Amino acid sequence: MIELPPELESPPVPWTRRHLLDLESLSAAEITTALDVAQRFKDATRDCKDRLPTLAGVTSVNLFFEDSTRTRTSFSLAARRLGADNIEFSASSSSVSKGETLLDTAKTIESMQIDAMVVRHRSPGAPQMLAKNLDCCVINAGDGPHEHPTQGLLDILTIRQHRGTIAGLTVALVGDIAHSRTARSNIWGLQKLGAHVIVCGPSTLVSKQWEKLGVEVSHDLDDIVARCDVLNLLRIQFERQYTRPFPSVREYALLYAMNRERMEQAKEDILIMAPGPINRGVEVTPEVADGSQSVILHQVNNGLAVRMAALYLVTKAPR
Protein backbone atom coordinates (compact mmCIF):
# COMPACT_ATOMS: atom_id res chain seq x y z
CA MET A 1 0.00 0.00 0.00
CA ILE A 2 1.40 3.41 -0.98
CA GLU A 3 1.12 6.68 0.96
CA LEU A 4 -1.77 9.04 0.39
CA PRO A 5 -0.84 12.02 -1.84
CA PRO A 6 -1.19 15.33 0.09
CA GLU A 7 -3.77 16.69 -2.39
CA LEU A 8 -6.11 13.80 -1.50
CA GLU A 9 -5.93 14.15 2.27
CA SER A 10 -9.14 16.23 2.25
CA PRO A 11 -11.89 16.63 -0.39
CA PRO A 12 -11.67 19.60 -2.78
CA VAL A 13 -13.51 22.72 -1.66
CA PRO A 14 -16.26 22.74 -4.35
CA TRP A 15 -17.56 19.32 -3.22
CA THR A 16 -20.02 19.29 -0.28
CA ARG A 17 -22.46 16.52 -1.31
CA ARG A 18 -22.89 13.37 0.80
CA HIS A 19 -24.77 11.67 -2.04
CA LEU A 20 -24.12 11.25 -5.76
CA LEU A 21 -27.56 10.77 -7.27
CA ASP A 22 -27.36 12.33 -10.74
CA LEU A 23 -25.45 14.71 -12.98
CA GLU A 24 -28.49 16.90 -13.60
CA SER A 25 -28.17 18.59 -10.22
CA LEU A 26 -24.36 18.95 -10.29
CA SER A 27 -22.71 22.17 -11.39
CA ALA A 28 -19.96 22.25 -14.01
CA ALA A 29 -17.48 22.93 -11.17
CA GLU A 30 -18.64 19.86 -9.24
CA ILE A 31 -18.43 17.64 -12.33
CA THR A 32 -14.92 18.96 -13.04
CA THR A 33 -13.94 18.30 -9.42
CA ALA A 34 -15.11 14.68 -9.67
CA LEU A 35 -13.16 14.23 -12.92
CA ASP A 36 -10.02 15.82 -11.43
CA VAL A 37 -10.15 13.61 -8.33
CA ALA A 38 -10.63 10.50 -10.48
CA GLN A 39 -7.60 11.47 -12.55
CA ARG A 40 -5.53 12.01 -9.39
CA PHE A 41 -6.46 8.58 -8.09
CA LYS A 42 -5.61 7.07 -11.46
CA ASP A 43 -2.21 8.77 -11.53
CA ALA A 44 -1.42 8.02 -7.86
CA THR A 45 -2.20 4.30 -8.19
CA ARG A 46 -0.60 3.47 -11.57
CA ASP A 47 -3.94 3.19 -13.41
CA CYS A 48 -5.73 1.92 -10.29
CA LYS A 49 -3.33 -0.98 -9.65
CA ASP A 50 -1.97 0.17 -6.27
CA ARG A 51 -3.81 0.61 -2.98
CA LEU A 52 -4.19 3.75 -0.92
CA PRO A 53 -5.24 4.02 2.75
CA THR A 54 -7.70 6.82 1.93
CA LEU A 55 -10.88 5.11 3.17
CA ALA A 56 -9.46 2.89 5.91
CA GLY A 57 -12.24 2.35 8.48
CA VAL A 58 -15.02 3.02 5.94
CA THR A 59 -17.54 0.31 5.03
CA SER A 60 -19.51 0.36 1.77
CA VAL A 61 -22.21 -1.99 0.50
CA ASN A 62 -23.25 -2.72 -3.07
CA LEU A 63 -27.04 -2.92 -2.97
CA PHE A 64 -27.87 -4.14 -6.47
CA PHE A 65 -31.38 -5.19 -7.54
CA GLU A 66 -30.40 -5.53 -11.23
CA ASP A 67 -27.65 -7.49 -12.95
CA SER A 68 -24.31 -5.79 -13.44
CA THR A 69 -20.78 -6.75 -14.42
CA ARG A 70 -18.73 -3.55 -14.86
CA THR A 71 -20.41 -1.24 -12.35
CA ARG A 72 -20.69 -3.72 -9.51
CA THR A 73 -17.18 -5.09 -9.93
CA SER A 74 -15.57 -1.68 -10.24
CA PHE A 75 -17.38 -0.29 -7.17
CA SER A 76 -16.21 -3.32 -5.19
CA LEU A 77 -12.63 -2.97 -6.42
CA ALA A 78 -12.66 0.80 -5.92
CA ALA A 79 -13.59 0.42 -2.26
CA ARG A 80 -10.84 -2.15 -1.69
CA ARG A 81 -8.23 -0.10 -3.57
CA LEU A 82 -8.90 2.72 -1.10
CA GLY A 83 -8.69 0.49 1.97
CA ALA A 84 -12.44 0.31 2.71
CA ASP A 85 -14.40 -2.78 3.67
CA ASN A 86 -16.93 -3.76 1.00
CA ILE A 87 -20.05 -5.91 1.31
CA GLU A 88 -21.98 -7.43 -1.60
CA PHE A 89 -25.77 -7.69 -1.36
CA SER A 90 -27.77 -10.05 -3.56
CA ALA A 91 -31.54 -9.49 -3.72
CA SER A 92 -32.26 -13.07 -4.79
CA SER A 93 -30.72 -14.53 -1.62
CA SER A 94 -31.98 -11.88 0.81
CA SER A 95 -35.18 -11.17 2.73
CA VAL A 96 -36.38 -9.17 -0.29
CA SER A 97 -37.52 -12.52 -1.70
CA LYS A 98 -39.72 -12.84 1.42
CA GLY A 99 -41.45 -9.52 0.80
CA GLU A 100 -39.25 -7.06 2.67
CA THR A 101 -39.42 -3.52 1.27
CA LEU A 102 -36.45 -1.71 -0.25
CA LEU A 103 -36.39 0.83 2.59
CA ASP A 104 -36.56 -1.82 5.32
CA THR A 105 -33.78 -3.76 3.64
CA ALA A 106 -31.63 -0.63 3.33
CA LYS A 107 -32.24 0.42 6.96
CA THR A 108 -31.38 -3.09 8.16
CA ILE A 109 -28.07 -3.02 6.30
CA GLU A 110 -27.33 0.56 7.39
CA SER A 111 -27.73 -0.45 11.04
CA MET A 112 -24.62 -2.60 10.62
CA GLN A 113 -22.55 0.61 10.66
CA ILE A 114 -22.47 1.13 6.89
CA ASP A 115 -20.94 4.41 5.69
CA ALA A 116 -21.84 4.30 1.99
CA MET A 117 -24.55 2.49 0.04
CA VAL A 118 -24.18 1.97 -3.72
CA VAL A 119 -27.66 1.34 -5.14
CA ARG A 120 -28.88 -0.05 -8.46
CA HIS A 121 -32.63 -0.47 -8.83
CA ARG A 122 -35.10 -0.79 -11.70
CA SER A 123 -37.29 2.00 -10.32
CA PRO A 124 -36.34 5.61 -11.14
CA GLY A 125 -35.87 7.60 -7.93
CA ALA A 126 -35.04 4.63 -5.67
CA PRO A 127 -31.58 6.02 -4.68
CA GLN A 128 -33.11 9.46 -4.09
CA MET A 129 -35.70 7.93 -1.76
CA LEU A 130 -33.01 6.14 0.20
CA ALA A 131 -30.88 9.29 0.44
CA LYS A 132 -33.81 11.07 2.12
CA ASN A 133 -34.38 8.28 4.65
CA LEU A 134 -30.88 7.06 5.54
CA ASP A 135 -27.98 8.64 7.38
CA CYS A 136 -25.28 6.97 5.30
CA CYS A 137 -24.03 8.25 1.95
CA VAL A 138 -25.88 7.01 -1.15
CA ILE A 139 -24.45 6.62 -4.66
CA ASN A 140 -26.76 5.95 -7.60
CA ALA A 141 -25.40 3.05 -9.66
CA GLY A 142 -28.35 3.23 -12.08
CA ASP A 143 -32.05 3.78 -11.40
CA GLY A 144 -34.22 2.45 -14.21
CA PRO A 145 -33.93 4.66 -17.29
CA HIS A 146 -33.31 7.79 -15.18
CA GLU A 147 -29.57 8.30 -14.56
CA HIS A 148 -26.25 6.50 -14.16
CA PRO A 149 -23.99 9.30 -12.90
CA THR A 150 -20.72 7.38 -12.53
CA GLN A 151 -21.11 5.99 -16.07
CA GLY A 152 -21.60 9.56 -17.31
CA LEU A 153 -18.51 10.72 -15.43
CA LEU A 154 -16.31 7.90 -16.72
CA ASP A 155 -17.44 8.54 -20.30
CA ILE A 156 -16.62 12.22 -19.94
CA LEU A 157 -13.29 11.49 -18.25
CA THR A 158 -12.34 9.21 -21.16
CA ILE A 159 -13.16 11.93 -23.68
CA ARG A 160 -11.19 14.53 -21.70
CA GLN A 161 -8.14 12.28 -21.49
CA HIS A 162 -8.09 11.83 -25.28
CA ARG A 163 -9.16 15.31 -26.35
CA GLY A 164 -7.93 17.48 -23.47
CA THR A 165 -11.24 19.28 -23.17
CA ILE A 166 -14.99 18.79 -23.54
CA ALA A 167 -15.94 22.31 -24.63
CA GLY A 168 -16.50 22.64 -28.36
CA LEU A 169 -16.69 18.92 -29.12
CA THR A 170 -19.59 17.27 -30.93
CA VAL A 171 -20.63 14.05 -29.19
CA ALA A 172 -23.28 11.74 -30.60
CA LEU A 173 -25.15 9.22 -28.47
CA VAL A 174 -26.43 6.54 -30.84
CA GLY A 175 -28.98 3.83 -30.14
CA ASP A 176 -31.64 3.24 -27.50
CA ILE A 177 -31.90 6.73 -26.06
CA ALA A 178 -35.44 6.22 -24.72
CA HIS A 179 -34.43 3.56 -22.18
CA SER A 180 -30.86 4.68 -21.47
CA ARG A 181 -29.86 6.10 -18.08
CA THR A 182 -26.36 6.46 -19.53
CA ALA A 183 -27.73 8.79 -22.22
CA ARG A 184 -29.35 11.08 -19.67
CA SER A 185 -26.23 11.35 -17.51
CA ASN A 186 -24.07 11.98 -20.59
CA ILE A 187 -26.44 14.67 -21.84
CA TRP A 188 -26.42 16.60 -18.55
CA GLY A 189 -22.69 16.27 -17.98
CA LEU A 190 -21.47 16.93 -21.51
CA GLN A 191 -23.68 19.97 -22.03
CA LYS A 192 -22.63 21.54 -18.72
CA LEU A 193 -19.01 21.25 -19.83
CA GLY A 194 -19.71 22.86 -23.22
CA ALA A 195 -20.15 19.98 -25.69
CA HIS A 196 -22.72 19.86 -28.48
CA VAL A 197 -24.73 16.65 -28.02
CA ILE A 198 -26.59 14.76 -30.75
CA VAL A 199 -28.95 11.89 -29.94
CA CYS A 200 -29.41 9.53 -32.88
CA GLY A 201 -31.52 6.44 -33.45
CA PRO A 202 -34.87 5.18 -34.75
CA SER A 203 -37.77 7.57 -34.19
CA THR A 204 -39.34 4.95 -31.90
CA LEU A 205 -36.32 5.30 -29.57
CA VAL A 206 -35.41 8.97 -30.14
CA SER A 207 -38.37 11.33 -30.14
CA LYS A 208 -38.29 15.06 -30.87
CA GLN A 209 -39.06 15.62 -27.16
CA TRP A 210 -35.34 15.24 -26.46
CA GLU A 211 -34.78 18.66 -28.04
CA LYS A 212 -36.26 20.15 -24.85
CA LEU A 213 -33.01 19.11 -23.10
CA GLY A 214 -31.02 21.22 -25.56
CA VAL A 215 -29.70 18.37 -27.71
CA GLU A 216 -29.87 17.88 -31.48
CA VAL A 217 -32.07 14.99 -32.61
CA SER A 218 -31.20 12.89 -35.66
CA HIS A 219 -32.57 9.69 -37.11
CA ASP A 220 -29.82 9.31 -39.73
CA LEU A 221 -26.36 8.24 -38.58
CA ASP A 222 -24.93 8.68 -42.07
CA ASP A 223 -26.02 12.32 -41.99
CA ILE A 224 -24.14 13.19 -38.78
CA VAL A 225 -21.13 10.87 -38.61
CA ALA A 226 -18.75 13.18 -40.51
CA ARG A 227 -19.09 16.05 -38.01
CA CYS A 228 -18.81 14.03 -34.80
CA ASP A 229 -15.71 14.00 -32.58
CA VAL A 230 -17.08 11.18 -30.44
CA LEU A 231 -19.62 8.40 -31.01
CA ASN A 232 -20.98 6.70 -27.89
CA LEU A 233 -22.83 3.58 -29.06
CA LEU A 234 -25.61 2.56 -26.68
CA ARG A 235 -27.02 -0.94 -26.37
CA ILE A 236 -30.59 -1.72 -27.39
CA GLN A 237 -32.23 -2.56 -24.06
CA PHE A 238 -34.71 -5.22 -25.11
CA GLU A 239 -35.29 -6.15 -21.46
CA ARG A 240 -36.98 -2.76 -20.85
CA GLN A 241 -39.28 -2.96 -23.89
CA TYR A 242 -42.61 -4.69 -24.39
CA THR A 243 -42.71 -4.27 -28.17
CA ARG A 244 -39.94 -4.39 -30.76
CA PRO A 245 -39.06 -0.74 -31.67
CA PHE A 246 -37.89 -1.65 -35.20
CA PRO A 247 -38.69 -4.44 -37.67
CA SER A 248 -35.53 -6.48 -37.09
CA VAL A 249 -32.07 -6.42 -35.51
CA ARG A 250 -30.64 -6.78 -39.01
CA GLU A 251 -32.39 -3.61 -40.14
CA TYR A 252 -31.20 -1.73 -37.05
CA ALA A 253 -27.62 -2.82 -37.69
CA LEU A 254 -27.88 -1.75 -41.32
CA LEU A 255 -28.99 1.76 -40.36
CA TYR A 256 -27.16 2.42 -37.06
CA ALA A 257 -24.23 0.04 -36.52
CA MET A 258 -20.83 1.71 -36.67
CA ASN A 259 -18.98 -0.26 -39.33
CA ARG A 260 -15.96 0.03 -41.62
CA GLU A 261 -17.85 1.96 -44.29
CA ARG A 262 -19.06 4.59 -41.81
CA MET A 263 -15.57 4.87 -40.28
CA GLU A 264 -14.36 5.96 -43.73
CA GLN A 265 -16.81 8.89 -43.55
CA ALA A 266 -15.78 9.88 -40.00
CA LYS A 267 -13.02 12.18 -38.78
CA GLU A 268 -9.60 10.50 -38.63
CA ASP A 269 -9.37 11.03 -34.86
CA ILE A 270 -12.96 10.10 -33.96
CA LEU A 271 -13.38 8.31 -30.63
CA ILE A 272 -15.54 5.17 -30.61
CA MET A 273 -17.10 4.52 -27.20
CA ALA A 274 -19.64 2.11 -25.76
CA PRO A 275 -20.74 1.83 -22.14
CA GLY A 276 -21.20 -1.93 -22.47
CA PRO A 277 -22.20 -4.57 -22.63
CA ILE A 278 -21.81 -4.35 -26.41
CA ASN A 279 -23.69 -6.46 -28.91
CA ARG A 280 -21.14 -7.07 -31.66
CA GLY A 281 -22.74 -6.80 -35.06
CA VAL A 282 -25.71 -4.80 -33.72
CA GLU A 283 -24.42 -1.44 -32.42
CA VAL A 284 -20.86 -1.88 -33.67
CA THR A 285 -19.00 -4.32 -35.86
CA PRO A 286 -16.07 -6.27 -34.35
CA GLU A 287 -13.39 -4.53 -36.45
CA VAL A 288 -14.57 -1.13 -35.18
CA ALA A 289 -15.04 -2.25 -31.56
CA ASP A 290 -11.48 -3.60 -31.53
CA GLY A 291 -10.02 -0.95 -33.87
CA SER A 292 -7.50 1.81 -33.22
CA GLN A 293 -10.16 4.47 -32.60
CA SER A 294 -11.97 2.42 -29.96
CA VAL A 295 -11.54 3.48 -26.33
CA ILE A 296 -14.08 1.02 -24.92
CA LEU A 297 -11.62 -0.68 -22.57
CA HIS A 298 -10.27 2.73 -21.50
CA GLN A 299 -13.81 3.45 -20.31
CA VAL A 300 -13.79 0.31 -18.19
CA ASN A 301 -10.50 1.27 -16.52
CA ASN A 302 -11.71 4.81 -15.96
CA GLY A 303 -14.79 3.36 -14.28
CA LEU A 304 -12.58 2.16 -11.47
CA ALA A 305 -10.99 5.60 -11.04
CA VAL A 306 -14.35 7.40 -11.14
CA ARG A 307 -15.86 5.07 -8.55
CA MET A 308 -12.85 5.56 -6.29
CA ALA A 309 -13.47 9.30 -6.61
CA ALA A 310 -17.21 8.93 -5.94
CA LEU A 311 -16.71 6.90 -2.76
CA TYR A 312 -14.01 9.29 -1.57
CA LEU A 313 -15.98 12.48 -2.25
CA VAL A 314 -19.25 11.45 -0.61
CA THR A 315 -17.73 9.83 2.47
CA LYS A 316 -15.32 12.74 3.07
CA ALA A 317 -17.94 15.45 2.52
CA PRO A 318 -18.95 17.46 5.62
CA ARG A 319 -22.04 16.23 7.44
Side-chain angles (χ1 to χ4, degrees):
M1 187 174 291
I2 62 177
E3 293 185 359
L4 183 66
E7 66 270 22
L8 294 175
E9 290 180 352
S10 59
V13 173
W15 191 274
T16 59
R17 296 174 183 265
R18 294 189 62 247
H19 311 292
L20 176 57
L21 303 175
D22 55 50
L23 296 192
E24 180 181 2
S25 64
L26 266 58
S27 67
E30 289 172 319
I31 292 172
T32 301
T33 295
L35 298 177
D36 291 345
V37 170
Q39 188 63 54
R40 286 177 190 151
F41 276 128
K42 192 177 175 73
D43 296 341
T45 58
R46 295 188 306 135
D47 279 346
C48 306
K49 292 179 183 175
D50 296 331
R51 296 189 178 207
L52 292 169
T54 314
L55 297 185
V58 169
T59 302
S60 66
V61 59
N62 292 339
L63 194 69
F64 277 49
F65 292 84
E66 287 187 319
D67 295 338
S68 169
T69 299
R70 294 155 190 77
T71 305
R72 185 170 197 151
T73 303
S74 58
F75 264 116
S76 178
L77 271 177
R80 294 171 186 173
R81 290 284 194 273
L82 295 181
D85 294 322
N86 179 255
I87 299 170
E88 295 289 349
F89 168 87
S90 175
S92 60
S93 59
S94 74
S95 292
V96 171
S97 62
K98 303 174 184 175
E100 189 173 60
T101 67
L102 169 62
L103 183 56
D104 284 339
T105 298
K107 284 188 172 182
T108 298
I109 294 174
E110 184 190 36
S111 67
M112 302 177 193
Q113 305 302 318
I114 297 298
D115 300 290
M117 195 169 289
V118 181
V119 182
R120 169 169 287 190
H121 201 279
R122 62 182 177 278
S123 299
Q128 288 80 357
M129 182 274 289
L130 293 181
K132 290 179 181 177
N133 289 279
L134 302 177
D135 291 329
C136 69
C137 305
V138 176
I139 297 175
N140 181 3
D143 59 329
H146 175 226
E147 276 224 39
H148 192 352
T150 56
Q151 181 67 51
L153 288 171
L154 75 88
D155 289 345
I156 296 169
L157 178 64
T158 304
I159 297 171
R160 195 179 75 166
Q161 287 171 346
H162 286 82
R163 289 290 176 269
T165 184
I166 302 300
L169 297 179
T170 295
V171 181
L173 307 171
V174 182
D176 186 353
I177 307 301
H179 303 93
S180 176
R181 50 199 176 207
T182 293
R184 287 166 176 79
S185 290
N186 267 265
I187 288 170
W188 290 117
L190 287 166
Q191 289 195 129
K192 288 181 180 184
L193 298 185
H196 174 66
V197 178
I198 305 173
V199 292
C200 179
S203 59
T204 48
L205 296 174
V206 187
S207 78
K208 284 291 184 182
Q209 295 296 314
W210 287 92
E211 291 178 344
K212 293 179 179 178
L213 298 185
V215 302
E216 176 183 342
V217 171
S218 172
H219 304 302
D220 188 344
L221 179 57
D222 293 311
D223 185 51
I224 65 167
V225 68
R227 55 189 174 96
C228 291
D229 299 292
V230 181
L231 286 180
N232 199 348
L233 307 170
L234 308 181
R235 183 176 64 90
I236 302 298
Q237 301 190 37
F238 291 113
E239 71 275 18
R240 300 190 192 280
Q241 302 172 33
Y242 298 103
T243 58
R244 186 62 63 93
F246 37 77
S248 69
V249 171
R250 182 176 180 277
E251 180 182 287
Y252 178 86
L254 182 68
L255 294 174
Y256 296 104
M258 197 60 190
N259 55 27
R260 183 182 305 163
E261 291 73 25
R262 290 194 170 103
M263 285 296 289
E264 292 175 355
Q265 304 303 315
K267 294 181 179 180
E268 290 186 359
D269 60 350
I270 191 171
L271 293 183
I272 300 298
M273 305 176 65
I278 62 173
N279 294 315
R280 292 173 180 261
V282 180
E283 299 100 19
V284 58
T285 55
E287 68 267 23
V288 175
D290 301 326
S292 60
Q293 300 307 120
S294 172
V295 293
I296 294 172
L297 293 181
H298 296 231
Q299 292 172 262
V300 178
N301 182 262
N302 283 331
L304 189 48
V306 162
R307 281 143 193 159
M308 292 166 76
L311 288 166
Y312 165 77
L313 287 169
V314 298
T315 57
K316 295 293 184 180
R319 293 182 67 88

